[in-house]
Amino acid sequence: MKKATLVAVLFLAACSKPEAAPQVASISTPPSSAAQTSAPQEERPRERLDMTPEDLEALQVPYDQCMAKHGLDRKGRAADPGTPQPVKEELDKAVQECEKKTPLPPWEKDVTNPEALDFANRVVQCLRGKGVRYVEVHNEPGSPAISYALGGPNNDSASISLGLEHAKECEIASSKK
């Protein structure tokens, strides 16, 4: 009898529903109606510290093409020398349309990066270690990037030359913390 009871219990256990996994509470935010109806936002290109001048120029091409559609060069001047300079409204419209194609600064220098100031200080220390006498962090309000200035108040040519010579090396080294 014990065997028959055991077989019946095992049979019923095998035929019953498996236990459901316990439910875990979670919080989710439904997407806003604005996010559902708007087109996906185009992401701006971003410079990198290790880019060559050619890479940087190639990154600028979409912006240049956008401005050219408006008859302007990169700086907002008339692209053709014989044409009149654009009026403010034309320039504002072109800049607004093309702004999304303007490359962002490298993340290490971006003012929205909470560690950008520390990065700039590390670069300045590295440059001083290479013999640059006049170098300081440059964090101008409204600027999209935090960087460093070479030469000091008297534009010391030795500091500028030496700083430019070692800038990329110090930036790359400083990005590795």
Side-chain angles (χ1 to χ4, degrees), residues 93-107:
K93 180 182 176 191
V95 168
Q96 183 178 10
E97 183 182 318
C98 299
E99 182 178 36
K100 63 184 175 258
K101 298 178 186 299
T102 306
L104 293 166
W107 178 243

Side-chain angles (χ1 to χ4, degrees), residues 44-160:
R44 287 174 60 185
R46 183 174 293 280
E47 295 176 17
R48 290 188 333 264
L49 293 175
D50 61 349
M51 288 182 134
T52 65
E54 294 80 19
D55 293 335
L56 291 169
E57 194 60 35
L59 196 62
Q60 192 71 34
V61 168
Y63 176 78
D64 293 344
Q65 290 172 339
C66 182
M67 292 295 278
K69 282 190 338 189
H70 295 277
L72 304 171
D73 68 7
R74 183 181 295 178
K75 295 184 180 181
R77 299 176 301 220
D80 295 323
T83 60
Q85 291 301 313
V87 295
K88 182 178 180 344
E89 292 78 24
E90 292 172 342
L91 180 60
D92 290 346
K93 180 182 176 191
V95 168
Q96 183 178 10
E97 183 182 318
C98 299
E99 182 178 36
K100 63 184 175 258
K101 298 178 186 299
T102 306
L104 293 166
W107 178 243
E108 293 84 356
K109 296 179 179 184
D110 195 315
V111 294
T112 62
N113 177 355
E115 296 179 10
L117 190 57
D118 292 338
F119 169 77
N121 282 316
R122 288 192 303 271
V123 172
V124 166
Q125 291 306 313
C126 176
L127 289 170
R128 287 183 181 149
K130 303 279 185 194
V132 179
R133 288 183 49 198
Y134 297 102
V135 59
E136 61 187 27
V137 172
H138 184 76
N139 187 8
E140 189 172 314
S143 175
I146 298 174
S147 193
Y148 47 89
L150 299 167
N154 295 325
N155 284 332
D156 179 62
S157 61
S159 291
I160 293 170

